Amino acid sequence: MAKELIVFIDMEIPEMLTRVEALKLEGYRLMQIHCTRVESGYEINYTFALDLPSQNLRIHIDREQEIPSISGIFPAAFLYENEIHDLFGLNITDMLIDYHGRFYRTSVPAPFGQAKKDTGGGE
Amino acid sequence: MKTVLTIVLFIVAAPLAGGLMAGLDRKAGAWMQSRVGPPLLQPFYDVAKLFSKQNIAVHKSQKYYVLCFLVFVILSGALFVAGQDLLLVIFALTLADVFLILGAYSVRSPYSYVGAERELVQMMAYEPMVIITAIGMYMVTKSFSVADIAAFEQNLFVKLPGIFIGLLFVLTGKLRKSPFDLSMSHHAHQEIVGGVLTEFSGAELAMVKIAYWYQNVFLLGLVCLFFASAFWLGVGAVMLTFFLEVFIDNNSARLTWQFTLASSWIAAAVLGMGNLVVLIFI
Amino acid sequence: MGERTVIPFGPQHPVLLEPLHLDLVIEDEKVVKAMPSWGFVHRGLEKLAEKRDFIEFPFVAERICGVCSHSHGMAYTQAIEALMSLEIPVRAKYLRTILAEFSRINSHLLWLGLLANALGFESLFMHCWKLREKILDIVEETTGGRVIFGACRVGGVNRDIDAPTLARMSRLFTGMEKGFREIDGVFRKDYTVQKRLQETGALSRADAHLLGAVGPVAKGSGIPCDMRRLGYSVYNELDFQAVVETEGDSYARTSVRIKEIFQSVGLIQQAIAKIPAGEVSMKITGLPPVGEHFEMVEQPRGEAVYYVKGNGTRFLERFRVRNSTFANIPALLKILEGCELSDVPMLILSIDPCISCAER
C-alpha cells in the first residue's frame, strides 16, 4: 500500500541539487539515500518525506563521475554519503564529515560496487 | 598493652568484618533486585583471585600509591580504635584518599583522570561535614580524644541529631553508593568505566578493595561513636545505617557532581552548622 | 581542568552495550564535540540478498538484529509480497501485528532496564527485565523463539496460534498492568531519575526534523512520526494515536516509550478481539519479484525503510535497509554537544541505538 506513496523522479545532478533545496524549503525531511548498481552504472536514490513518505529523486551516474554532497542542505546526509562512498567506491565531494573511506572498514574495497557476475548468484 | 592488643585485633578482624559486610551488601542488593546473588563469602574469593593474577602495572609508581593508601587507611583505623585524637584520625583518612587520587593520576588514562577529578570534588563535598562531626563531638564532650568521647556517659545522638543525619548523608558518597558514587561505582557501569580504579588490576586492585573494607569498618565505627554509651544501641544503629545505605544504593539513580557538591554542602550547612549553633545556645 | 581532553567511548564499554565508538572532546566535564566512528559489525547482509533465494531470505532478514528481529522479518516479507502483489490471509496479518506489538513491549522494557542501569538504579533495572521475562516466555511458547521469533515467511506466518493461547496472551496483561504502572511511576516521578532525565539532551522540533530523526526521538520532540499510521498489515483496522511528547528531552523520550508499552497492550488486545479464523499462509505462485518497492514499518526503535528491487530471478537485484538508528545518529550528535560527561551514556541510550541494525 505504500507503493503509491512514493513517487520516483529521474533527474540530472544540477537539477537534483536545486530540487533538494526546494524540498528543504517546503519542509521535507531526508528519509534515506541509497545507491544501486545497475548495468549502465549506478543510480542514487534520495528519498524525502513530508510527514509521510512522498518523493524519491533518482540520478544516474558513472563510476568516475563526481557527485556533490547534499549534506550542506540536509546535514544528516553525511552518513548515507559516506556509506555510499565506502561500499560502492563512488566519489562524493564536500561531505560535512568525510571519513575518507574509514566509515565501514571493509576487507575488500568498495564491496558493493563490483559488477555482478551473472544473475544466477549462488556461492 | 591493651591498646596494642586492640590495634592488632583491628588489623586482623576489620578486613574480615569489612569483607563480610561487602558480601552482605551484595546479598541484600540481590534480594532487593529479586535475584539470588553471589555467596556471602564472594568478596573474599574475589580478592584471593585478584592476588593470584598476573601483575600488570600501567605505571610503576601506581603500586606505591596504592600501598600508601592501604597503610594510611589502616593507620587511621588503628588510631581510631586506639582512642587517639579524632582530628588526627580524620586527617590520616584524608591523606589516604590523597594517595588513591595520586595513584589514579599517575596513569595516563582519561577515565582514571576524570575519576580522580571527581574524587577530589567528592572529598570537597564530604570533608566539611566530617570536620563538623568532630567539632560537634568536641563541643559536647570537651575532648577530641576518641577514648574520651567513647567514655562519655551521655548518648551523643541526643545532642547531635542534625550532625548524625548530615554524616549519614555524606556517608553515602564515602561508601560508594549511588546517588553519590561519582568517581567509581561498584559495577563499573558508568561513563568513566571504573573511575579511579580503571587502571588498577591484580594485587593492586585487591589492596584497594581491602583498604575499602578497613575504611568501611572505620566509618561505621564513627556512626557507632554516637551511641557509645549504650553498646547494643550502637550496634543496632550501625546495622540500620548499613542497610539504609544498601537500600538507597539500589533505589536511586546516580546524580551529577554538581548536585553532589551542592547538596552535601547544604546538608553540612543546615544540619551540621545548625546543630552546632543550637549547641552554643543551650 | 579547563583543557580539552579526548575520551574514547566504546566500542567496548561496560555501560554501552552497542559497538559504537565515539570520540568525546571534553572541556572540564562538558562535551564540546562528539565524533562517531563505526563499522565494527558490518556484515554485508544487503549484498547477501543477491546470493540467497528470496523465499529463504527472511531467515537472514530476521537476523539483522536481535531485539527488532520480528519487525525486520515483517518488513522484508511485506516488501516482497507488495512486489509480487500477493494478498496474504488476514489471519496471518493479524498474527504478525500481534507479535510485532509483543516485540515492541519487549524492546521498550529492555531499553527501560538499560536506562535504569546506566543511571545506577539497579533494582529498577532488574524489575523491568523481570517484567520482560513474562513477555518473552509467552512469545517463546507461541513462536518457539525468545529473541528471533522466526514467525514471518513470504506469504504469511509459519505457525498458527490457537484461540485459547490467544486469549491467554490477552489476559496476560491484566496481571502485568500493575507492574507497568509501577515502573511508569518510578521513571516519571522518582526524584533522582527525574533530576537526571529532565532537561537533558533537549532536541527541538525543528532540529529533529532537519536531522531526520525518527521513532521515539522524533515523537519526543513533538513530531508524530509513526509509520503505523500508514496502515500496513492490519494497523488500519486498529484504533490508535501516535504517542507524542513536546519537551524533546530524555524525559520526553522515556515517556514516549512507556506510553507506547500501554499503547501496544491496547493494540494487542484489540487485535486478539478482532482476529478472524482462516489460513495463516498461502502458497507462493507466479513469477519471482520484478520491479522496485519501498516498504516502511515502525520498529520499536523507530521507522525502518526497506527497499527491494527484483529482476525476475529468484535473487534480488538490490536489498536495502535503513533502520532507525542510522537516521537517529545525527540527532544523537546534536544532543551530545554541550552535554555533561555524566549524561553521555544516558543520552546515547535515549536514541535506543542498535548498531547491528544500522550497519547490517
Side-chain angles (χ1 to χ4, degrees):
Chain A
M1 64 219 56
K3 201 161 197 166
E4 56 274 20
L5 284 167
I6 293 227
V7 188
F8 289 87
I9 309 163
D10 288 275
M11 51 179 57
E12 294 298 313
I13 291 175
E15 193 192 351
M16 183 272 291
L17 283 179
T18 41
R19 188 61 180 268
V20 169
E21 273 180 45
L23 287 177
K24 185 182 179 178
L25 290 178
E26 285 169 41
Y28 278 75
R29 77 179 161 91
L30 176 68
M31 204 160 160
Q32 68 104 21
I33 305 174
H34 83 260
C35 179
T36 309
R37 179 93 172 94
V38 289
E39 258 163 47
S40 56
Y42 301 84
E43 56 182 37
I44 301 186
N45 295 279
Y46 298 82
T47 317
F48 297 91
L50 183 70
D51 191 22
L52 289 179
S54 44
Q55 295 214 15
N56 186 63
L57 312 183
R58 173 177 291 172
I59 53 170
H60 290 271
I61 47 135
D62 300 326
R63 186 175 191 118
E64 283 73 37
Q65 212 169 342
E66 280 193 352
I67 310 143
S69 164
I70 64 158
S71 57
I73 309 165
F74 285 98
F78 82 92
L79 283 173
Y80 302 104
E81 288 170 346
N82 275 296
E83 184 182 58
I84 292 171
H85 173 267
D86 285 13
L87 295 183
F88 289 88
L90 297 181
N91 189 7
I92 300 178
T93 55
D94 305 320
M95 281 186 276
L96 199 62
I97 301 176
D98 196 339
Y99 285 84
H100 301 288
R102 290 185 197 90
F103 191 62
Y104 288 119
R105 278 156 264 204
T106 50
S107 52
V108 185
F112 286 25
Q114 285 130 24
K116 277 182 211 99
K117 283 169 207 115
D118 56 275
T119 43
E123 301 297 275
Chain B
M1 191 59 207
K2 193 169 169 251
T3 329
V4 176
L5 266 180
T6 327
I7 291 173
V8 171
L9 189 70
F10 172 77
I11 291 174
V12 176
L16 297 178
L20 271 179
M21 257 161 51
L24 262 178
D25 182 339
R26 292 177 70 171
K27 264 294 192 215
W31 172 68
M32 283 172 207
Q33 299 164 24
S34 42
R35 289 188 288 121
V36 178
L40 188 62
L41 297 180
Q42 190 62 41
F44 295 106
Y45 304 148
D46 288 349
V47 163
K49 190 182 177 191
L50 281 175
F51 273 117
S52 73
K53 290 219 172 191
Q54 188 193 358
N55 203 352
I56 307 168
V58 181
H59 204 286
K60 271 197 175 158
S61 62
Q62 198 187 3
K63 216 184 296 177
Y64 301 104
Y65 289 126
V66 171
L67 195 64
C68 285
F69 173 55
L70 178 63
V71 167
F72 276 93
V73 168
I74 296 177
L75 182 72
S76 65
L79 287 171
F80 183 76
V81 294
Q84 292 299 309
D85 196 320
L86 189 57
L87 284 176
L88 188 63
V89 172
I90 290 168
F91 291 137
L93 191 67
T94 310
L95 186 61
D97 229 354
V98 169
F99 279 113
L100 181 67
I101 292 168
L102 284 175
Y105 269 128
S106 74
V107 287
R108 303 240 161 243
S109 153
Y111 302 121
S112 182
Y113 255 60
V114 179
E117 275 166 12
R118 288 195 186 170
E119 182 72 28
L120 280 172
V121 170
Q122 215 161 5
M123 271 173 78
M124 264 160 68
Y126 66 70
E127 220 52 56
M129 192 61 231
V130 177
I131 303 283
I132 288 174
T133 307
I135 297 172
M137 286 181 171
Y138 170 78
M139 283 172 74
V140 177
T141 61
K142 300 285 174 262
S143 168
F144 273 123
S145 153
V146 177
D148 292 347
I149 296 169
F152 194 66
E153 69 277 6
Q154 242 184 323
N155 219 335
L156 286 179
F157 176 72
V158 180
K159 290 224 169 136
L160 303 169
I163 288 180
F164 182 73
I165 295 167
L167 186 68
L168 284 194
F169 193 87
V170 297
L171 216 55
T172 315
K174 203 80 185 101
L175 290 172
R176 315 279 163 192
K177 302 286 186 200
S178 65
F180 300 139
D181 52 349
L182 306 174
S183 59
M184 57 155 280
S185 66
H186 292 300
H187 344 263
H189 277 195
Q190 199 176 353
E191 63 281 4
I192 50 171
V193 196
V196 281
L197 300 188
T198 310
E199 302 299 331
F200 294 153
S201 65
E204 282 142 43
L205 188 60
M207 285 203 288
V208 174
K209 285 202 184 279
I210 293 172
Y212 276 125
W213 293 349
Y214 275 111
Q215 186 190 294
N216 292 353
V217 169
F218 156 69
L219 289 171
L220 292 177
L222 200 60
V223 171
C224 191
L225 206 55
F226 279 89
F227 302 92
S229 63
F231 181 71
W232 289 110
L233 192 65
V235 173
V238 163
M239 279 164 74
L240 211 63
T241 307
F242 181 66
F243 282 102
L244 183 71
E245 294 291 356
V246 175
F247 179 78
I248 292 172
D249 182 32
N250 277 289
N251 293 292
S252 61
R254 183 180 307 115
L255 290 166
T256 53
W257 66 265
Q258 291 94 330
F259 186 87
T260 306
L261 194 59
S263 63
S264 301
W265 278 6
I266 290 171
V270 176
L271 294 167
M273 293 305 278
N275 203 159
L276 289 185
V277 170
V278 171
L279 274 184
I280 292 168
F281 286 106
I282 55 169
Chain C
M1 285 197 176
E3 61 197 63
R4 291 193 170 189
T5 338
V6 178
I7 291 202
F9 204 83
Q12 296 291 330
H13 195 287
V15 82
L16 182 69
L17 304 170
E18 294 288 337
L20 170 69
H21 176 87
L22 285 165
D23 278 319
L24 302 171
V25 182
I26 61 162
E27 211 174 72
D28 287 349
E29 282 214 17
K30 217 163 208 65
V31 178
V32 186
K33 196 172 177 332
M35 187 70 184
S37 60
W38 65 13
F40 303 100
V41 287
H42 176 69
R43 293 148 292 165
L45 291 182
E46 288 181 353
K47 192 75 177 166
L48 192 62
E50 292 160 20
K51 293 183 176 177
R52 287 274 180 274
D53 190 300
F54 74 98
I55 300 284
E56 285 173 11
F57 201 70
F59 296 102
V60 180
E62 289 202 322
R63 278 156 184 80
I64 289 176
C65 153
V67 180
C68 359
S69 163
H70 179 75
S71 38
H72 279 299
M74 191 166 163
Y76 174 80
T77 47
Q78 274 178 199
I80 294 292
E81 284 151 13
L83 264 191
M84 298 177 73
S85 311
L86 296 176
E87 196 49 55
I88 68 160
V90 185
R91 188 175 173 87
K93 285 187 180 177
Y94 268 96
L95 288 176
R96 280 182 188 178
T97 309
I98 292 167
L99 288 173
E101 292 307 317
F102 266 101
S103 92
R104 191 179 313 279
I105 298 176
N106 166 24
S107 169
H108 285 341
L109 284 174
L110 176 109
W111 180 84
L112 287 169
L114 290 177
L115 177 73
N117 184 30
L119 294 174
F121 201 140
E122 288 83 15
S123 64
L124 184 57
F125 165 44
M126 284 296 160
H127 195 79
C128 291
W129 282 33
K130 204 172 146 192
L131 285 171
R132 175 175 169 256
E133 204 63 22
K134 286 187 184 162
I135 302 283
L136 289 180
D137 283 347
I138 197 126
V139 168
E140 183 184 18
E141 200 185 318
T142 49
T143 66
R146 281 163 67 87
V147 179
I148 290 165
F149 300 173
C152 295
R153 66 192 287 177
V154 177
V157 292
N158 280 325
R159 249 200 248 196
D160 196 4
I161 303 175
D162 58 10
T165 315
L166 277 175
R168 204 147 49 81
M169 282 166 103
S170 180
R171 274 203 313 275
L172 175 74
F173 295 112
T174 31
M176 286 183 76
E177 197 106 21
K178 188 169 158 273
F180 292 150
R181 293 214 181 285
E182 269 171 18
I183 56 165
D184 178 26
V186 180
F187 272 109
R188 302 208 288 171
K189 308 234 168 59
D190 184 86
Y191 179 74
T192 51
V193 176
Q194 256 186 357
K195 195 91 196 155
R196 290 300 300 278
L197 291 181
Q198 269 174 349
E199 286 165 32
T200 50
L203 184 71
S204 69
R205 193 190 159 114
D207 280 339
H209 187 78
L210 177 65
L211 297 172
V214 297
V217 180
K219 290 174 202 165
S221 296
I223 304 171
C225 172
D226 193 329
M227 289 301 123
R228 288 178 290 178
R229 283 166 56 217
L230 289 175
Y232 65 86
S233 205
V234 290
Y235 284 110
N236 50 354
E237 289 166 32
L238 304 175
D239 178 37
F240 73 100
Q241 290 281 313
V243 177
V244 172
E245 294 277 333
T246 49
E247 289 80 14
D249 54 4
S250 306
Y251 185 76
R253 293 190 276 275
T254 311
S255 299
V256 166
R257 291 190 175 98
I258 294 175
K259 284 182 186 166
E260 279 195 350
I261 293 180
F262 290 106
Q263 184 190 45
S264 294
V265 171
L267 282 170
I268 290 169
Q269 286 172 337
Q270 277 184 52
I272 290 177
K274 279 188 181 171
I275 190 166
E279 288 295 307
V280 292
S281 66
M282 62 188 287
K283 211 169 150 46
I284 315 293
T285 49
L287 290 169
V290 189
E292 54 188 332
H293 177 67
F294 272 105
E295 179 74 31
M296 271 74 63
V297 297
E298 184 76 7
Q299 286 187 334
R301 290 166 162 146
E303 161 208 271
V305 183
Y306 267 63
Y307 171 79
V308 284
K309 186 174 186 183
N311 53 7
T313 66
R314 302 194 64 85
F315 306 97
L316 292 174
E317 174 102 9
R318 176 85 167 105
F319 167 64
R320 151 89 179 156
V321 184
R322 198 245 46 211
N323 93 314
S324 48
T325 307
F326 206 98
N328 279 335
I329 291 281
L332 171 68
L333 300 183
K334 171 84 189 166
I335 58 178
L336 280 179
E337 259 171 45
C339 79
E340 287 289 324
L341 178 63
S342 49
D343 290 333
V344 169
M346 192 193 71
L347 291 180
I348 295 178
L349 267 178
S350 80
I351 70 155
D352 201 354
C354 176
I355 303 302
S356 66
C357 279
E359 293 182 6
R360 307 165 303 276

